[in-house]
Amino acid sequence: LLNYDTIDSSTKALIDDKMKGYASPREFYTQKIVEGVATLAASVYPKRIIVRLSDFKSNEYKSLIGGEQYEPDEENPMIG
């Protein structure tokens, strides 16, 4: 979402569909992070938790909407 204004129209259409009801790409991203962390925290409350935000391999990032623009093809994504 950092490069939202410069992405191609078909990718932007997919993102726009997912962002319906949010004021901006930034608001969408922020709220999705808040919802995810809150859900995890509520599941173990009152215990403390550590949230790892990403443990994806490059091929998993590449499979996300727009990921092909940022992730190269790798022979072994486990190595990075």
Side-chain angles (χ1 to χ4, degrees):
L1 294 177
L2 292 174
N3 299 323
Y4 179 77
D5 294 330
T6 62
I7 59 175
D8 64 89
S9 60
S10 62
T11 302
K12 192 178 276 190
L14 292 170
I15 293 170
D16 288 344
D17 187 54
K18 295 206 176 279
M19 289 189 336
K20 285 181 183 170
Y22 293 89
S24 68
R26 183 178 298 236
E27 179 67 18
F28 169 75
Y29 180 80
T30 303
Q31 287 305 308
K32 289 299 177 183
I33 296 293
V34 168
E35 290 168 16
V37 172
T39 299
L40 292 170
S43 73
V44 297
Y45 181 81
K47 296 178 183 175
R48 296 175 65 184
I49 64 168
I50 296 172
V51 177
R52 180 184 289 181
L53 296 179
S54 176
D55 195 19
F56 279 12
K57 295 177 286 301
S58 60
N59 64 323
E60 294 170 319
Y61 279 117
K62 188 172 185 173
S63 70
L64 298 174
I65 295 172
E68 291 183 1
Q69 297 175 28
Y70 301 98
E71 294 296 332
D73 284 321
E74 292 185 314
E75 186 173 321
N76 187 346
M78 293 295 288
I79 295 174

